Amino acid sequence: MGSGGSKGSKASYNISVKTGDQKGAGEHVHVFIILHGKGIQTNEFRLDNFFKHDFERGKVDNFSVSEINMSDVHTVELRRDNCCFFSHWYLDWIEITNKKSNITYIFPAMQWIKAKCHYFIKHHTCLPQDDSFLETRKLELQTIKTEYQLEVKIPGLPAQVKNLPEDEKFSNHYKLKFALESILLKGESFKLLMTGGTEWENVDDIKTVYTKAFGVPQSSKYFNDDTHFGRQRLTGLNSLLIERCTAIPQNFGVTEDMIKPFLEGKTMSQAMDGKKLFIVDLAILEDCPTKRDDLVMTCPLALFYFNNSKRLMPIAIQLFQQKGPNNPVFDQSILNGAYHMRDDALLLYDAIKTYVEKYVMLYYSTESSLTADYELQSWGEELIKSRDDGGVGILSPVNIETILKTIPNRKILLTIMSITKVLSEKATESLGDFEKQFIVDPRAIEVVEEFRQTLRAVGTTIDLRNKKRDYPYDWLLPKSIPNSISI
């Protein structure tokens, strides 16, 4: 096939078109295209391979055009007809290569192409106010706003998308993987219920649910170990709750004499001034409902001391918020104070912060470029619009029986484990390795590549740290962090 332009040296191009793998993404459609260069454009021509069914779901189709009077391509104008009733087509991207210069231009689309609509897909990146096809862009934005209408589905929570568009839903590949994993875990749960019953016999009985299918949590080996308890304050899920203590809360029944043996000769005031005292306050759990009337949720306060051996010591723990004779303060043994989560997270924080700053400054180098971006300003207005308008305690000694009562029975726990395991699977590529390539600006690509190199260096540093750690901390290795969550 071929098509002429109006000026410029003649060139031949390979055109590759990737159809998405969404349900219904590939149908029998007729696709027409116009190539735009600097001050020049081709005539419209059809992308068609004779005797071949083009644009099938998940496939890449290749076409060739020759004798084009255009040395480079910066925009693709695209449309399709409605040759088949209820036909659909989801376009991932178009890639155009100049056969002579071997220069490739990538035009990311990532959208459903509707019949009888014109789409202008650019190779270069620009802000809305600098778009040469401004009216077309505004029409596309209006269509997107219609598809992404918001509503408050649960009172008191942020507004959500009323009806999720098809291209935002999980791919069939992911849903199949999700379904197979769910079936496997349900089968394993049924087997465990048949052999072990619903209720727990003792604490060790809980470990029987950690089969090969579910995996064995590392912490299950040390759950009753004081050292591990302390380490969890720094490397567990709630590692951000601990903070420096500058004053003992009035409702915390801690006295100077009580913690003096742990302060290495310092007074309480000296320990605070030396940034040695830390506190965890779980007041948020006060009056939290429980699954049974005979259970009470504790809402503890815990005081920690960071000693000269760089170990964190829990020196006072009070189970409930209000001090009194029925709410004693307990002391504990020395704990490991290595703050791996903080140390590794700071590396990632710096890497991500630098990446985001450089990327944003490529396009918003001045305040005027920010305020002139009407799409960004509109998004900001959506954020502040009201939701209505669619805008976005154990009083007795603890024993094993009490502990077992607080743990969901085998059936409930297995259900929770199944759901958690499936939803927490790493469903995307690792941080920085983006599944969909929306970035085509050479300057932005350079920033992304620099980010990836930094992440590799961060991974190397964490690996070296883990070799020296008594308990390796792998959770913040860049290769273990997904680009996004799946829930």
Side-chain angles (χ1 to χ4, degrees):
M1 64 181 68
S3 180
S6 58
K7 64 179 181 178
S9 59
K10 291 185 177 181
S12 297
Y13 291 93
N14 284 326
I15 302 177
S16 298
V17 180
K18 171 66 165 59
T19 299
D21 69 346
Q22 286 83 346
K23 182 179 180 181
E27 299 284 353
H28 184 61
V29 294
H30 296 158
V31 177
F32 302 87
I33 192 172
I34 297 175
L35 306 182
H36 291 260
K38 188 174 182 180
I40 186 175
Q41 69 181 60
T42 68
N43 298 321
E44 182 181 79
F45 57 92
R46 179 182 168 189
L47 295 178
D48 179 46
N49 286 312
F50 297 115
F51 305 110
K52 182 179 181 296
H53 191 181
D54 299 317
F55 313 117
E56 292 185 337
R57 175 181 169 185
K59 299 294 182 64
V60 175
D61 294 288
N62 296 295
F63 308 91
S64 180
V65 292
S66 57
E67 298 299 310
I68 299 291
N69 293 324
M70 185 183 298
S71 58
D72 56 20
V73 182
H74 64 65
T75 302
V76 168
E77 184 178 349
L78 189 78
R79 72 174 181 89
R80 75 171 182 86
D81 64 8
N82 198 17
C83 63
C84 294
F85 197 53
F86 292 131
S87 61
H88 301 84
W89 184 42
Y90 187 92
L91 174 62
D92 269 354
W93 47 258
I94 296 176
E95 187 176 280
I96 300 178
T97 301
N98 186 313
K99 294 182 180 180
K100 183 177 180 180
S101 65
N102 205 34
I103 295 176
T104 297
Y105 307 91
I106 302 174
F107 301 85
M110 308 299 177
Q111 61 182 310
W112 292 95
I113 304 299
K114 298 179 180 180
K116 301 179 180 179
C117 292
H118 279 254
Y119 295 83
F120 294 86
I121 308 170
K122 296 173 290 297
H123 165 68
H124 66 285
T125 303
C126 68
L127 296 179
Q129 60 268 31
D130 301 323
D131 198 326
S132 54
F133 300 99
L134 194 57
E135 292 305 315
T136 300
R137 182 168 183 145
K138 287 183 177 180
L139 288 174
E140 290 180 359
L141 183 60
Q142 189 57 47
T143 300
I144 292 173
K145 286 184 175 181
T146 302
E147 293 177 345
Y148 288 82
Q149 292 185 31
L150 303 177
E151 70 173 356
V152 178
K153 296 183 178 181
I154 303 176
L157 294 182
Q160 298 173 280
V161 176
K162 185 181 295 184
N163 296 302
L164 196 65
E166 282 296 322
D167 51 325
E168 292 287 1
K169 296 179 180 179
F170 288 129
S171 67
N172 286 336
H173 173 76
Y174 178 81
K175 287 190 285 189
L176 177 61
K177 179 183 177 182
F178 187 97
L180 292 175
E181 183 79 3
S182 298
I183 292 172
L184 172 65
L185 296 178
K186 285 181 179 179
E188 185 71 10
S189 298
F190 180 77
K191 182 175 70 174
L192 290 169
L193 286 171
M194 291 297 98
T195 57
T198 300
E199 303 299 332
W200 307 111
E201 295 182 4
N202 50 54
V203 173
D204 288 335
D205 191 26
I206 299 173
K207 296 182 180 180
T208 61
V209 300
Y210 297 125
T211 60
K212 184 177 180 180
F214 286 104
V216 181
Q218 293 181 1
S219 59
S220 66
K221 304 173 185 177
Y222 322 107
F223 80 97
N224 60 348
D225 182 275
D226 286 346
T227 301
H228 183 63
F229 171 80
R231 193 164 59 249
Q232 283 186 314
R233 301 315 105 205
L234 301 171
T235 61
L237 293 176
N238 295 324
S239 57
L240 297 180
L241 291 176
I242 193 167
E243 56 186 17
R244 188 162 68 90
C245 181
T246 57
I248 300 296
Q250 292 185 354
N251 60 322
F252 197 178
V254 174
T255 65
E256 180 97 26
D257 290 340
M258 189 182 297
I259 63 174
K260 184 177 180 179
F262 303 102
L263 301 184
E264 300 176 317
K266 300 180 182 65
T267 64
M268 184 187 296
S269 178
Q270 289 171 336
M272 289 181 181
D273 292 341
K275 301 180 180 180
K276 293 283 190 175
L277 282 183
F278 296 85
I279 191 170
V280 174
D281 186 351
L282 295 178
I284 192 174
L285 297 179
E286 190 169 21
D287 298 324
C288 183
T290 59
K291 67 172 186 173
R292 291 167 47 161
D293 293 337
D294 59 342
L295 297 176
V296 180
M297 174 68 74
T298 61
C299 44
L301 297 104
L303 191 65
F304 296 82
Y305 174 71
F306 192 67
N307 67 15
N308 295 334
S309 299
K310 299 187 182 301
R311 292 179 179 272
L312 197 66
M313 299 170 56
I315 55 178
I317 298 176
Q318 180 178 293
L319 296 181
F320 297 94
Q321 287 292 305
Q322 302 306 320
K323 62 184 179 182
N326 293 325
N327 187 23
V329 176
F330 301 91
D331 58 42
Q332 286 286 344
S333 58
I334 296 176
L335 302 181
N336 188 344
Y339 205 166
H340 303 330
M341 182 272 181
R342 174 202 60 195
D343 298 338
D344 293 352
L346 285 174
L347 291 175
L348 278 171
Y349 172 82
D350 289 338
I352 296 173
K353 181 174 182 290
T354 300
Y355 165 60
V356 173
E357 285 180 344
K358 287 187 175 181
Y359 200 107
V360 170
M361 290 304 292
L362 281 178
Y363 307 104
Y364 298 103
S365 57
T366 64
E367 184 176 344
S368 60
S369 61
L370 184 66
T371 56
D373 187 339
Y374 60 86
E375 291 182 0
L376 189 63
Q377 300 302 323
S378 177
W379 177 65
E381 292 172 1
E382 287 290 325
L383 291 180
I384 63 176
K385 186 189 295 183
S386 71
R387 296 173 185 174
D388 293 338
D389 295 330
V392 187
I394 300 176
L395 301 179
S396 58
V398 180
N399 52 42
I400 294 300
E401 288 72 24
T402 303
I403 293 175
L404 290 176
K405 288 180 182 178
T406 65
I407 300 174
N409 64 36
R410 193 185 307 268
K411 182 177 181 180
I412 296 175
L413 182 62
L414 287 168
T415 300
I416 295 172
M417 289 172 62
S418 297
I419 295 173
T420 303
K421 182 172 177 60
V422 170
L423 293 181
S424 61
E425 287 289 333
K426 185 168 173 281
T428 68
E429 298 295 336
S430 298
L431 182 63
D433 186 7
F434 310 119
E435 284 85 355
K436 293 186 177 181
Q437 299 301 323
F438 290 100
I439 302 171
V440 295
D441 187 336
R443 300 174 303 159
I445 291 175
E446 185 177 337
V447 172
V448 172
E449 183 53 38
E450 183 180 333
F451 177 50
R452 290 169 176 165
Q453 291 176 4
T454 302
L455 290 177
R456 287 192 285 270
V458 168
T460 299
T461 300
I462 294 177
D463 284 335
L464 292 174
R465 287 176 174 178
N466 280 336
K467 290 179 180 179
K468 300 177 182 179
R469 291 168 172 168
D470 294 333
Y471 299 90
Y473 188 74
D474 299 327
W475 301 109
L476 292 181
L477 280 168
K479 66 181 180 182
S480 302
I481 302 174
N483 273 313
S484 63
I485 60 174
S486 57
I487 54 175

